[in-house]
Amino acid sequence: MGLTGNIYRVVVADDEPVAVKAICHIIEMNCPQFQVVGTAENGEKALKVIEETEPDLVLTDIAMPLMSGLELAHQAGSRMPDLCFVIISGYQDFEYMRDAIRNGVLDYLTKPIVPSQMLPTMKNVEEKLNTFYYNRRNALLRKICLGEDVSQKEISKFFPHKEFYAALLRENGLPRRYSPGKEPELYGTIEEAFSVYGRDNMEELFLIPREILDGQSLVSYMKKVELRQKTEGSYTTLLYYSRAFSASEISTKIRELFYWLNNLSTVGYSQAVDLDKKKMLEGRLPSPDTTELSGLITEMEQYVKAGKYDRMQKCIEIAFEKWGSERRPQVWMEHSARRILNFIRTYTEDEESLIESEYQLEDIFYYATSMEILIQNLQNLFGRFGQKEKEKPKADSPEFFENVEKYLRGHLYEPPSLQELSDIFAISQAYMSKLFRKYTGQTYNQYLTGIRMERAKQLMKENNELYVKDIAEMVGYHDQFYFSRIFRSHTGKSPADYLNQ
C-alpha cells in the first residue's frame, strides 16, 4: 500500500488461460498499486465478475466467446462510468483500436503481453486513477465539511486507511457569510499523502492516515505546520483529536471540529485544543443569557436620549474590553456587535445600506488580529451615530486606489495586513474595505491573493527553472505546500504542472 493507501482493483478477461496467467504475473511482480480481484474466460462472465468486484481497471481481450471486449467495455462502462479499460488483441487491428478509443478505452495492447509493453500502460492507468481518486477524495471531504451526507461505502473506497487523525487550523476569524465575492476553496495537492480542505485560504482541515505520522504526535506535527504558515501578528485556532479513529467516524469527527471552531474561536487569542478532552470544554460554550447585552442596549438608549454620544461610545468600549478579557467567543461578540449596530441604525438616518453595514461588520471581525484592533474598528463603525464618517475626499477616487494597488504590488514578498494598509494610507479599515469592494468587486484578501498568484505565474513564465519554494517566498509564502494549495485553488493547476506547461 502506497502513502495514499490506494490499491487499485483489476479484473482480467481472456479466453486463453496462458494469457490470463501472464498478465496476472506481470501485475503481481511489477505493479504494487494494483491487485487482481477476478478473472474471466468470456465476456458474459467478465461482466458478472465486474459487477461483483467493482474494480478500477479491466484488462480484456477483444475476441472472446459470448461477448466481445468492446461490448464488455460498452456495457460495463455504461453502468460504471469511471471504470478504466485496456483492450488486448492477438493482432494489430487499427479499426478495433479506433472503436475501442471511441468507447472510452485507455489503451490497446497486442499479444504476446510482455512487461516492457505492459508496464508503461499500467503506469498511465495508475496516473489516471491517482487523479480520479484525488478528485473524488476532495469532493467527498468538501461534502462532509459542508454537512452533506456521504455513504460509508464511498468513504471506505476513497479513504482506504484503517485509522486517521484530524485537525482543523484556522488563522484569525471565522469564515465570512456575506462576502460579495466567492472565497476560493482550498485543497491539498495530489503529491501530499493526506487530504486537506479549507472553506477559504485562511483555513485547513487535515485528514491524516495514522501511518503517515510514523509515531510522531499529531499536535507536534500540527505545531510545525502552524509555525510555517502563520502570518506575523495573526492568531490561530488549532483543534485536533489526539487519538486516531476509524474511517467510519470521519464524518462525525469533522463535523465536531467545525462545531467547536464556531464555539471556541476567540478574537486575538491563539489556542490549541484537544477535542478528545471534551469534558474540559463544556464550560466554554457561549452563554445563551443575553441579560448583560440587553442592559447595555438600555444604557445606550438613555445616553442617546440625553444626547451624550461620547458616553454611549465609552460604555460600548468598556463592554467589549470586559468581554475580551473574559475571552468570549467570536460568535458571541458578533451577535452583540450586530445588536448594537441595529440599535444605532434605528436611531440614526444612516445612508449606508443594510448589506454594506453587514459587509463592514464582517470585515472588522474577519481581519481583527487583536481585541484592541477589533474595538478600535467597531468604534469607527458605531461612530457614525451623531456624526458622519469623514474620510479624506481624495480617498474615494480611482487615482487614490491606484496608489493603493501600486503599493500592494510592490510589497508582495511581505504583504501588509488590511489594518496596516489602512494605517499607511490614513483611512479607517472599514473604509479601505469599502474601496476594495467598489473598485475590484472583491474583498481585500481575495484581491491580494489574486495578484500574488498572478505574480507567481509571471515569475514561472519568465524563468521556468525556478524552484516552487523560491517562487512561494517571492510572493510572500513561507510554506511551499501551503503556496501550492492556494495556487491550485486559483488556477486549477499545481505550480509544477504550470511550470511544465
Side-chain angles (χ1 to χ4, degrees), residues 14-15 60-65 67-69 88-89 91 96 111:
D14 198 308
D15 60 341
T60 177
D61 191 12
I62 280 183
M64 288 191 299
M67 184 187 296
S68 73
I88 302 166
S89 178
Y91 52 90
Y96 269 133
K111 295 180 180 179

Side-chain angles (χ1 to χ4, degrees), residues 232-356:
E232 186 177 353
S234 66
Y235 68 95
T236 55
T237 304
L238 172 61
L239 309 178
Y240 63 95
Y241 294 97
S242 58
R243 294 193 291 270
F245 52 85
S246 68
S248 63
E249 298 176 90
I250 287 175
S251 292
T252 300
K253 295 292 187 182
I254 287 176
R255 285 165 186 166
E256 285 186 1
L257 281 167
F258 285 108
Y259 169 81
W260 284 105
L261 175 68
N262 288 334
N263 283 293
L264 297 179
S265 179
T266 305
V267 175
Y269 174 54
S270 289
Q271 52 187 319
V273 179
D274 182 355
L275 295 187
D276 280 320
K277 300 176 180 177
K278 287 196 189 70
K279 288 184 179 178
M280 299 171 60
L281 301 175
E282 297 300 335
R284 296 177 62 182
L285 290 171
S287 171
D289 185 7
T290 59
T291 304
E292 186 177 8
L293 178 58
S294 298
L296 174 63
I297 299 293
T298 300
E299 185 179 0
M300 288 170 57
E301 190 171 13
Q302 292 171 352
Y303 288 134
V304 168
K305 290 177 179 178
K308 297 179 179 180
Y309 306 130
D310 290 344
R311 294 290 300 274
M312 183 196 75
Q313 287 280 81
K314 189 62 180 177
C315 77
I316 294 173
E317 180 182 348
I318 292 171
F320 274 94
E321 285 177 348
K322 175 179 180 291
W323 298 335
S325 67
E326 295 169 350
R327 292 179 178 171
R328 300 282 180 101
Q330 178 182 332
V331 290
W332 199 96
M333 295 277 203
E334 271 195 71
H335 170 73
S336 301
R338 188 166 284 107
R339 282 274 305 273
I340 293 169
L341 181 60
N342 290 338
F343 168 83
I344 290 173
R345 286 180 62 87
T346 300
Y347 277 86
T348 185
E349 294 179 2
D350 195 343
E351 296 177 0
E352 204 80 82
S353 70
L354 177 60
I355 190 63
E356 179 59 34

Side-chain angles (χ1 to χ4, degrees), residues 450-500:
I451 62 174
R452 292 165 94 179
M453 296 303 103
E454 288 303 316
R455 178 57 180 157
K457 290 192 287 186
Q458 182 183 357
L459 290 167
M460 293 177 191
K461 290 175 181 177
E462 292 172 353
N463 184 354
N464 63 7
E465 294 183 0
L466 284 172
Y467 291 109
V468 173
K469 181 178 182 294
D470 297 329
I471 295 169
E473 290 180 352
M474 292 166 77
V475 294
Y477 293 97
H478 305 298
D479 186 322
Q480 171 183 336
F481 288 107
Y482 184 55
F483 164 74
S484 295
R485 293 172 203 148
I486 293 177
F487 188 90
R488 180 182 174 85
S489 75
H490 277 260
T491 67
K493 294 184 175 70
S494 70
D497 288 343
Y498 197 90
L499 279 166
N500 292 335

